[in-house]
């Protein structure tokens, strides 16, 4: 079963409570999303580590409930 946009946002907000989060459903199928996450948790980290933190926040849903997630991550300026 696909992951709903509200469920995705809730999981990301749980992992990054201070974040600015914008989610876009890319295909209208609840299975392909784009997320932009700006959080202090990413400060000083390389992009790969930032993305690993996002995947960890999703607690194993990536590749199951959530098929594809294009990520843009950044620390606040």
């Amino acid at each position: 079963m696909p992951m709903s946009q509200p469920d995705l946002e809730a999981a990301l907000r749980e992992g990054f409570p201070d974040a600015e989060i914008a989610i876009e459903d890319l295909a209208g199928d609840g299975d392909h999303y784009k997320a932009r996450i700006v959080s202090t948790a990413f400060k000083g980290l390389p992009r790969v580590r930032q993305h690993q933190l996002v995947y960890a926040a999703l607690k194993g849903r990536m590749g199951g409930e959530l098929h594809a997630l294009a990520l843009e991550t950044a620390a606040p300026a």
Side-chain angles (χ1 to χ4, degrees):
M1 177 176 217
M3 180 179 237
S4 72
Q5 188 167 335
D7 287 347
L8 174 57
E9 185 168 347
L12 294 173
R13 290 213 179 275
E14 182 180 330
F16 306 98
D18 74 315
E20 293 177 28
I21 299 173
I23 298 172
E24 179 183 349
D25 187 342
L26 297 176
D29 61 1
D31 223 14
H32 297 80
Y33 293 102
K34 177 180 178 181
R36 174 162 170 71
I37 307 164
V38 179
S39 172
T40 56
F42 301 141
K43 187 172 183 166
L45 297 178
R47 184 102 33 227
V48 169
R49 184 66 185 127
Q50 293 174 18
H51 290 196
Q52 288 172 336
L53 290 176
V54 174
Y55 296 139
L58 294 172
K59 300 177 183 170
R61 293 178 177 145
M62 193 69 217
E65 292 175 60
L66 185 59
H67 177 71
L69 179 62
L71 287 174
E72 289 181 31
T73 54

